[in-house]
Amino acid sequence: MPRKNKSEKPSGIDIFQVLIQTEKEAKQRKREELLASFGVKQYFAEGTITINKTTCKGVECKLCIKACPTNALFWKAGEVGITKELCVYCGACVLNCIVDDCITVSRKRETGETERFSKPKDFTALQHAIDAEKRFKRVLEVFPTVKEYLKRQKKRKRRKESANH
Ligand code: SF4
Ligand code: SF4
């Protein structure tokens, strides 16, 4: 009978990996339920948010708490707390924060693109770039390139010809 080597790892299911995955899925479900109760959509696949407690103006300010659309931020024990499950990484808190680099949000889009910002001006610039890209796509739909225009004209001509036969 072959003897088992003690250092040999058991093959098959990695129980730790399964546990991690199950926990991840449970968290995701909880998050979806909570956000659905607020009627808020998730636009980002994943993200993180941090608040620098040493630079935060706290009790004198609380503007981020007022700006948060999901109530992910709250006031507790003399500081701003975060319910991470409720954060949709929208950036409203960064936009309203009176201290640069106090709140940092990083987020990943479904496309894999990542964005990180911690100042209102960075958030505004990012939003401007996103809007400009959307506008450009819309313009292309209305005003096609010469190549696209000629292709459309050809199609139109063919349709006309087949309708006349
Ligand atoms: S990023 Fe948006 S959802 Fe998250 S804490 Fe800030 S305001 Fe709230
Ligand atoms: S807006 Fe910024 S400075 Fe004001 S409480 Fe929130 S994190 Fe602190």
Side-chain angles (χ1 to χ4, degrees):
M1 202 176 143
R3 289 179 65 189
K4 221 175 180 180
N5 181 353
K6 275 190 180 171
S7 63
E8 221 174 77
K9 280 187 185 167
S11 60
I13 300 167
D14 182 339
I15 191 70
F16 293 110
Q17 214 43 49
V18 172
L19 286 173
I20 290 168
Q21 189 59 27
T22 312
E23 200 186 329
K24 226 175 158 185
E25 283 167 9
K27 269 189 185 166
Q28 185 59 25
R29 267 199 304 278
K30 189 182 163 201
R31 178 179 161 79
E32 278 164 16
E33 279 168 22
L34 285 168
L35 290 175
S37 68
F38 282 98
V40 174
K41 269 190 177 181
Q42 282 193 81
Y43 290 100
F44 303 97
E46 52 189 80
T48 58
I49 174 168
T50 55
I51 298 181
N52 185 338
K53 303 281 165 68
T54 55
T55 58
C56 173
K57 298 287 176 202
V59 73
E60 298 166 31
C61 174
K62 297 187 193 173
L63 285 175
C64 53
I65 299 176
K66 287 177 198 143
C68 180
T70 63
N71 292 343
L73 302 178
F74 58 96
W75 185 251
K76 196 187 168 197
E79 59 179 37
V80 180
I82 313 169
T83 308
K84 295 204 173 171
E85 287 84 0
L86 283 176
C87 181
V88 287
Y89 320 113
C90 67
C93 51
V94 176
L95 192 60
N96 283 274
C97 186
I98 56 170
V99 182
D100 278 356
D101 301 318
C102 183
I103 307 175
T104 303
V105 170
S106 65
R107 60 196 192 186
K108 192 173 173 185
R109 292 183 178 268
E110 299 287 348
T111 55
E113 270 174 274
T114 55
E115 295 155 1
R116 190 172 187 275
F117 46 87
S118 56
K119 294 179 183 70
K121 81 171 165 53
D122 292 347
F123 178 79
T124 314
L126 176 67
Q127 202 51 46
H128 181 74
I130 293 167
D131 291 345
E133 201 183 322
K134 281 187 195 161
R135 274 199 299 274
F136 182 65
K137 279 184 186 157
R138 255 179 261 141
V139 167
L140 279 187
E141 277 167 25
V142 182
F143 302 104
T145 59
V146 175
K147 203 175 158 190
E148 187 59 33
Y149 175 77
L150 292 174
K151 213 167 128 187
R152 282 187 200 176
Q153 287 302 99
K154 259 188 199 171
K155 259 191 199 169
R156 228 171 263 166
K157 201 178 161 194
R158 249 183 273 137
R159 265 205 304 271
K160 235 185 191 175
E161 281 170 0
S162 62
N164 289 337
H165 285 302

